[in-house]
C-alpha cells in the first residue's frame, strides 16, 4: 500500500511545486464572499465531478469492466434537472429524479454487460453515443430554447459553502465514505474484486458474478449522475452536448494513476481520488500558466506519461540501472 | 427527328410541372451540432424558412465531429442532391470530400465557418458573418470605452476553430493600434458556459482578483455568462469593475446586459436563411462565378 501510494503523491507534489515557481501566489488562500478562495481550493472544487465519476469507474474496473457512458449519464441527469425544475417539481424531488435516471442508465449498462454478456466497452459505448442525444430530447420536452434554471437548493449543493468550505466538498466526502463503507466494510468489495479477478472461479465459490457486475454498473451510473448534478447546478444550465465531455477518459486515467489495473480484481478508492487530484491540478496549472491554449493537451499528455513512467517498476528499474552504469563508468 | 423533338418537349414539360408542384431543389445541410444557444436557433431558422424558397432541406447534425460531417456530405453526394450546404466543424481536412462533390457536379456552399483549401473552385461561395469584423467591432468598442487604455483577459473559443482564430485576430488588429491596450491572459473556454467559468476562475487567481484588469473579452456569450458567474462568486462586479464584451447576442446575454452584468455583445444573426437561400437558388437557376465570400452584416449592441 505504502510504496504504491508514493508515486502518484510524488507526481502531485512535483506539479504543485512547479506551480509555485510559475505563479508565486499560487498557494494563497483567503476568504472571499464567505468562502475559502484560492488555487488550491479551486483544484479540490473542480476535481469533485471527475473524482465522483472516477470512484464509480474504479468499482466497474474492479469487475474487469469499463464504463464509457459516464459523461452521457451526467448529461442525462443534468437534462432531467432542468426539465423537472421547469415542470415545477420540488427541488429535492428533482434531485431524486436526476439520480434515479442515472441509476436506470447504470442498470441498462449492467443488463447489457451482466445480463446479455456483451463486452463492456461495446455495451457502454451504446449509451455513450446515444446519451447526449437523449439529453437533448429531454431539453425539448419544454421547448428547449432556454435550458437554464434557478434553484437555491441545487446551486447550494454545487456552488454554495458551509463554514467557509464549498458544499460540494461535503457532498463528495459523504459519497466517498458511503462508497468506502459499502466496498470495504461489507463483503461487496471482496465480491467485486473476486469477480474481476476470476469470474468463473468466484461463481464456483458461490459469488453471483453477474449480479455483482450489475450492481457495479448501477453504482457507477449513480456516481456519474451525482457528477451531472454538480456540473449542471454549477452553471445552472442543461448543456447535454458539452457537459462532462471526455470525463470518461479522465476518470479511467484517474483510476490508472491511482494504481488500478484495467485487468480488474482491484479497487483503490483513496488512490483513485489522488489520481483525480493529479489530473485536476494539472488542468488548473495549465490554465494559470499563461501558455497558449494550443499546448494544453500536449502538456497534459506529457505529464500523464511522466506519472505513468514513475509508476512503472520496469521503467524505474531501467532508468536506475542506466544511471548506475553511467556513475560506474 | 420529330420523335426526338416531341420527347424533348414532353420531358421539359414534365420537368417544369414537377418543379412547380414539389420543392424546386433538394439541398443537403451538414450542421456542426447543436452546442450553445445560437446554433440551434440557426438550424431552426434554416429548416423553417426552406419551404419559402422552394427548398427541400435535408438536415444532418454532425454532433461536433468532422468524421460525422464527412459521412453526411458523402451521403448527400450519393443521394444526388442539387446543392450541399456545409457549416464546417473545423477549417482543415476538406479537400477530398469537396473533390468528390465537384466530380458529382454538386455545388457546395459554406455557411458560418470557413474551410482551408488551396483550390478555391472546390466551393461556390461562403455566405457568413465576418468573424474578423466581429472581433474588430468588439475591439473598437472597448478602445472607445476605455479611451485606449485597457488590460484585457480573453476567453477563446475552441482551439483551432475559425471563429476563435478570426475573432482573436480581428480584436488584436484593433487593440494593437493602442499602445496601452494589451491582452494579459488568454485561454480556451471551448465556447461553453462551463469552460468560461473555469477559465475565469483561474484568471481571477492568476491576476490577483482581476487587479488592474479593465475588460474581459469572450469569443462567445456562453463563455461570458460562465465568466460572469465566476466573477460574482468571487465577489467581483462584472459590468462595473470589469467591462464585459462578447460575441453572439443570445437572449441570456441580453438579460445580463439589462441587469448590468455585461456591457456589449456583437450580434451574430441566427435568422440568416434570408441571406443564404436566395444566393443558392439564384446560382442553381443560372450558375455563374460568385465572390468567394458573401458577408452577412453584424451589429454591436450596448447595454443601456
Amino acid at each position: 500500500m505504502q510504496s504504491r501510494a508514493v508515486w502518484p503523491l510524488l507526481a502531485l507534489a512535483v506539479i504543485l511545486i512547479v506551480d509555485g515557481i510559475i505563479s508565486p501566489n499560487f498557494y494563497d488562500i483567503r476568504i472571499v464572499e464567505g468562502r475559502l478562495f484560492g488555487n488550491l481550493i479551486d483544484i479540490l472544487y473542480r476535481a469533485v465531478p471527475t473524482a465522483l465519476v472516477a470512484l464509480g469507474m474504479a468499482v466497474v474496473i474492479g469487475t474487469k469492466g469499463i464504463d464509457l457512458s459516464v459523461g452521457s449519464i451526467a448529461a442525462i441527469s443534468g437534462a432531467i434537472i432542468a426539465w423537472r425544475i421547469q415542470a415545477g417539481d420540488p427541488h429535492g424531488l428533482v434531485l431524486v429524479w436526476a439520480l434515479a435516471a442515472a441509476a436506470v442508465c447504470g442498470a441498462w449498462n449492467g443488463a447489457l454487460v451482466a445480463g446479455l454478456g456483451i463486452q463492456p466497452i461495446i455495451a457502454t459505448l451504446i449509451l455513450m453515443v446515444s446519451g447526449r442525444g437523449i439529453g437533448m430530447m429531454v431539453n425539448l420536452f419544454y421547448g428547449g430554447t432556454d435550458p437554464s434554471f434557478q434553484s437555491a437548493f441545487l446551486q447550494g449543493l454545487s456552488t454554495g459553502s458551509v463554514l467557509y468550505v464549498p458544499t460540494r466538498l461535503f457532498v463528495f466526502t459523504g459519497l466517498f465514505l458511503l462508497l468506502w463503507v459499502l466496498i470495504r466494510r461489507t463483503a461487496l468489495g471482496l465480491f467485486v474484486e473476486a469477480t474481476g479477478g476470476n469470474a468463473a472461479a468466484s461463481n464456483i465459490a458461490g459469488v453471483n458474478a453477474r449480479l455483482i457486475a450489475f450492481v457495479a454498473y448501477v453504482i457507477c451510473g449513480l456516481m456519474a449522475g451525482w457528477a451531472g448534478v454538480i456540473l449542471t447546478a454549477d452553471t445552472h444550465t442543461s448543456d447535454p452536448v458539452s457537459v462532462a465531455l471526455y470525463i470518461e477518459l479522465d476518470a479511467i486515467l484517474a483510476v490508472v494513476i491511482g494504481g488500478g489495473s484495467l485487468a480488474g480484481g482491484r479497487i483503490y478508492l483513496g488512490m483513485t481520488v489522488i489520481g483525480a487530484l493529479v489530473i485536476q491540478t494539472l488542468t488548473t496549472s495549465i490554465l494559470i500558466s499563461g501558455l497558449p491554449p494550443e499546448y494544453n493537451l500536449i502538456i497534459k499528455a506529457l505529464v500523464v506519461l511522466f506519472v505513468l513512467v514513475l509508476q512503472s517498476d520496469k521503467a524505474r528499474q531501467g532508468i536506475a540501472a542506466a544511471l548506475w552504469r553511467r556513475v560506474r563508468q | 427527328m420529330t420523335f426526338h423533338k416531341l420527347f424533348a418537349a414532353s420531358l421539359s414539360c414534365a420537368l417544369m410541372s414537377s418543379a412547380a408542384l414539389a420543392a424546386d431543389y433538394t439541398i443537403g445541410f451538414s450542421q456542426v451540432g447543436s452546442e450553445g444557444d445560437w446554433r440551434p436557433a440557426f438550424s431552426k431558422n434554416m429548416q423553417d424558412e426552406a419551404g419559402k424558397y422552394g427548398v427541400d432541406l435535408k438536415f444532418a447534425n454532425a454532433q461536433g465531429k468532422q468524421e460525422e460531417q464527412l459521412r453526411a456530405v458523402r451521403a448527400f453526394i450519393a443521394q444526388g442532391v442539387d446543392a450541399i450546404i456545409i457549416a464546417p466543424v473545423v477549417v482543415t481536412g476538406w479537400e477530398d470530400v469537396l473533390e468528390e462533390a465537384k466530380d458529382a457536379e454538386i455545388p457546395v456552399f459554406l455557411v458560418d465557418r470557413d474551410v482551408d483549401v488551396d483550390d478555391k473552385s472546390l466551393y461556390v461561395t461562403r455566405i457568413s458573418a465576418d468573424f474578423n469584423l466581429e472581433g474588430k467591432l468588439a475591439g473598437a468598442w472597448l478602445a472607445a470605452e476605455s479611451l485606449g487604455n485597457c488590460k484585457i483577459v480573453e476567453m477563446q473559443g475552441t482551439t483551432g476553430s475559425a471563429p476563435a482564430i478570426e475573432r482573436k485576430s480581428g480584436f488584436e488588429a484593433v487593440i494593437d493600434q493602442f499602445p496601452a491596450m494589451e491582452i494579459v491572459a488568454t485561454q480556451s473556454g471551448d465556447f461553453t458556459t462551463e469552460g468560461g467559468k473555469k477559465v475565469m476562475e483561474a484568471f481571477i487567481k492568476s491576476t490577483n482578483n482581476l487587479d488592474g484588469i479593465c475588460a474581459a473579452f469572450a469569443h462567445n456569450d456562453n463563455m461570458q455568462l460562465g465568466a460572469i458567474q465566476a466573477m460574482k462568486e468571487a465577489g467581483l462586479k462584472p459590468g462595473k469593475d470589469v467591462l464585459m464584451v462578447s460575441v453572439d447576442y443570445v437572449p441570456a446575454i441580453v438579460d445580463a446586459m439589462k441587469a448590468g452584468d455585461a456591457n456589449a455583445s456583437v450580434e451574430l444573426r441566427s435568422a440568416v436563411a434570408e441571406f443564404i437561400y436566395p444566393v443558392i437558388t439564384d446560382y442553381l437557376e443560372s450558375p455563374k462565378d460568385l465572390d468567394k465570400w458573401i458577408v452577412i452584416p453584424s451589429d454591436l449592441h450596448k447595454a443601456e
Side-chain angles (χ1 to χ4, degrees):
Chain A
M1 178 69 198
Q2 221 168 8
S3 66
R4 195 164 40 74
V6 162
W7 302 109
L9 284 171
L10 183 70
L12 190 59
V14 169
I15 301 172
L16 284 172
I17 290 166
V18 171
D19 284 333
I21 297 167
I22 296 173
S23 162
N25 52 5
F26 185 83
Y27 310 113
D28 288 2
I29 292 180
R30 53 180 187 280
I31 289 167
V32 174
E33 296 283 292
R35 60 185 261 197
L36 293 168
F37 182 87
N39 284 310
L40 296 175
I41 301 298
D42 262 12
I43 290 170
L44 294 174
Y45 183 81
R46 284 283 160 213
V48 164
T50 312
L52 286 173
V53 172
L55 285 173
M57 189 70 79
V59 177
V60 164
I61 286 178
T63 69
K64 206 175 179 177
I66 201 151
D67 188 349
L68 298 182
S69 69
V70 284
S72 293
I73 295 177
I76 291 172
S77 70
I80 298 273
I81 289 176
W83 170 45
R84 290 324 299 170
I85 285 180
Q86 301 265 357
D89 284 358
H91 293 179
L93 183 62
V94 169
L95 177 62
V96 173
W97 282 126
L99 295 175
V104 168
C105 291
W108 161 264
N109 285 331
L112 291 184
V113 174
L116 300 181
I118 301 175
Q119 295 201 35
I121 202 163
I122 301 301
T124 57
L125 193 66
I126 295 169
L127 190 58
M128 180 195 181
V129 292
S130 61
R132 293 181 185 277
I134 295 171
M136 282 190 280
M137 273 168 53
V138 172
N139 273 8
L140 290 177
F141 289 166
Y142 52 91
T145 47
D146 184 14
S148 66
F149 57 87
Q150 296 295 327
S151 164
F153 168 62
L154 291 169
Q155 286 169 247
L157 276 182
S158 178
T159 60
S161 60
V162 178
L163 298 171
Y164 304 117
V165 179
T167 326
R168 67 167 71 172
L169 296 184
F170 292 108
V171 173
F172 176 78
T173 310
L175 288 169
F176 177 82
L177 289 177
L178 206 67
L179 191 63
W180 185 82
V181 168
L182 196 64
I183 296 293
R184 288 287 165 244
R185 283 292 170 267
T186 73
L188 184 66
L190 187 66
F191 290 166
V192 168
E193 291 181 342
T195 304
N198 189 333
S202 44
N203 242 337
I204 293 165
V207 177
N208 187 341
R210 288 165 73 182
L211 179 66
I212 294 297
F214 179 82
V215 170
Y217 283 94
V218 174
I219 291 174
C220 188
L222 268 173
M223 297 304 272
W226 269 106
V229 170
I230 299 284
L231 284 168
T232 303
D234 192 340
T235 56
H236 39 97
T237 306
S238 158
D239 183 6
V241 177
S242 61
V243 72
L245 199 59
Y246 306 129
I247 202 167
E248 63 280 353
L249 300 180
D250 278 349
I252 294 167
L253 190 59
V255 173
V256 172
I257 291 176
S261 156
L262 295 183
R266 290 280 178 276
I267 305 175
Y268 305 118
L269 295 179
M271 290 308 298
T272 298
V273 176
I274 301 290
L277 281 176
V278 169
I279 295 170
Q280 186 56 46
T281 308
L282 184 55
T283 309
T284 301
S285 313
I286 292 170
L287 284 181
I288 63 146
S289 67
L291 285 167
E294 287 79 1
Y295 299 125
N296 288 4
L297 296 174
I298 300 172
I299 295 169
K300 187 170 175 181
L302 287 175
V303 176
V304 166
L305 184 65
F306 164 73
V307 175
L308 295 179
V309 166
L310 262 186
Q311 270 185 309
S312 155
D313 291 336
K314 274 196 183 138
R316 282 204 313 275
Q317 282 160 7
I319 293 166
L323 286 176
W324 181 236
R325 269 201 301 278
R326 177 157 294 184
V327 170
R328 281 204 306 194
Q329 272 165 10
Chain B
M1 190 68 182
T2 36
F3 173 76
H4 251 89
K5 268 186 183 163
L6 201 67
F7 179 75
S10 64
L11 187 71
S12 66
C13 185
L15 277 174
M16 276 164 66
S17 63
S18 77
L21 284 173
D24 297 341
Y25 302 111
T26 304
I27 297 179
F29 177 25
S30 172
Q31 174 65 286
V32 172
S34 45
E35 78 284 0
D37 300 325
W38 177 81
R39 199 166 294 282
F42 169 34
S43 299
K44 188 167 184 306
N45 178 251
M46 288 294 283
Q47 287 165 315
D48 290 350
E49 298 289 302
K52 206 183 279 180
Y53 296 92
V55 168
D56 175 17
L57 191 72
K58 302 226 177 288
F59 183 81
N61 182 337
Q63 311 273 10
K65 295 195 218 32
Q66 190 176 25
E67 311 91 86
E68 200 64 44
Q69 195 154 38
L70 294 174
R71 224 182 343 257
V73 173
R74 292 201 165 101
F76 291 145
I77 295 171
Q79 289 165 25
V81 296
D82 296 309
I84 295 172
I85 306 172
I86 305 176
V89 174
V90 289
V91 298
T92 51
W94 288 100
E95 266 92 355
D96 289 349
V97 75
L98 291 182
E99 291 279 1
E100 287 166 36
K102 194 181 182 187
D103 292 345
E105 293 178 354
I106 299 172
V108 173
F109 297 82
L110 306 176
V111 294
D112 185 18
R113 301 173 183 175
D114 202 0
V115 299
D116 184 12
V117 289
D118 293 333
D119 179 4
K120 295 287 178 198
S121 74
L122 288 175
Y123 61 92
V124 179
T125 182
R126 171 181 174 215
I127 311 155
S128 78
D130 181 352
F131 298 131
N132 198 282
L133 177 65
E134 290 161 5
K136 281 183 180 144
L137 280 171
W141 175 83
L142 195 55
E145 197 70 17
S146 68
L147 304 177
N149 184 357
C150 194
K151 286 192 176 11
I152 303 151
V153 293
E154 179 186 43
M155 282 154 279
Q156 300 186 26
T158 305
T159 309
S161 70
I165 295 168
E166 291 297 318
R167 284 177 191 157
K168 184 171 177 57
S169 73
F171 185 78
E172 283 175 345
V174 172
I175 67 164
D176 282 351
Q177 308 296 312
F178 301 88
M181 289 184 86
E182 181 195 4
I183 296 174
V184 293
T186 180
Q187 252 299 338
S188 168
D190 276 322
F191 285 127
T192 66
T193 308
E194 191 190 345
K197 190 168 186 179
K198 285 181 189 168
V199 168
M200 181 51 84
E201 280 176 3
F203 285 166
I204 289 171
K205 273 84 182 185
S206 65
T207 59
N208 191 21
N209 264 15
L210 300 181
D211 185 29
I213 302 295
C214 110
F217 169 50
H219 290 183
N220 81 347
D221 288 338
N222 287 74
M223 291 191 289
Q224 193 75 308
L225 291 165
I228 288 170
Q229 291 178 10
M231 290 168 74
K232 283 187 170 171
E233 282 169 21
L236 298 165
K237 291 192 185 64
K240 296 170 193 73
D241 299 344
V242 176
L243 295 169
M244 309 294 284
V245 55
S246 51
V247 184
D248 274 0
Y249 199 59
V250 297
I253 203 82
V254 178
D255 292 344
M257 281 162 62
K258 278 191 192 129
D261 295 335
N263 303 94
S265 179
V266 181
E267 179 173 2
L268 181 60
R269 278 191 183 79
S270 59
V272 289
E274 57 174 311
F275 296 94
I276 293 170
Y277 285 130
V279 174
I280 299 176
T281 51
D282 285 355
Y283 179 87
L284 289 174
E285 263 158 42
S286 53
K288 57 180 178 295
D289 278 344
L290 295 173
D291 286 341
K292 281 294 158 190
W293 190 7
I294 298 168
V295 173
I296 298 172
S298 20
D299 299 310
L300 182 132
H301 299 263
K302 292 181 282 188
E304 293 308 319

